[in-house]
Amino acid sequence: IKEQTRMATIRAATFCILGKLTKKRFEETIEAYPAEHAKMKSIAEARIAMLQKSQAAKSPSTSGGFQEISPMFLKISIF
């Protein structure tokens, strides 16, 4: 969505099946489902704004140079 390399650590609460979506397949999917792409983009922009606001409110001296980020979950349904 933002043309940035992303990395995440995930811990499942229950058994799950994990899949991998390549960049090419992701791009094909968002082209086929523009409404879902718009939703994803909107959610990503809101999270970036929230993170930037959080970072601006904190100073490195009060957090020891580390930033606490609460987990956020994204549910996307593509049919």
Side-chain angles (χ1 to χ4, degrees):
I1 294 174
K2 291 288 186 182
E3 295 294 325
Q4 297 175 337
T5 301
R6 307 300 294 240
M7 185 171 64
T9 301
I10 301 167
R11 177 176 283 164
T14 62
F15 177 80
C16 66
I17 297 173
L18 180 64
K20 178 182 177 180
L21 184 62
T22 65
K23 180 179 178 180
K24 180 181 176 191
R25 284 297 239 186
F26 177 74
E27 289 172 348
E28 291 170 356
T29 303
I30 62 174
E31 284 180 27
Y33 299 94
E36 295 298 329
H37 180 225
K39 289 178 192 176
M40 291 170 58
K41 196 170 185 178
S42 175
I43 291 168
E45 289 170 353
R47 289 181 181 177
I48 290 168
M50 187 171 29
L51 180 61
Q52 289 172 341
K53 184 177 178 182
S54 174
Q55 287 175 337
K58 292 183 179 183
S59 70
S61 61
T62 59
S63 63
F66 295 97
Q67 179 180 358
E68 293 180 29
I69 301 174
S70 60
M72 295 180 190
F73 301 97
L74 172 64
K75 180 180 180 183
I76 299 172
S77 301
I78 299 178
F79 300 95

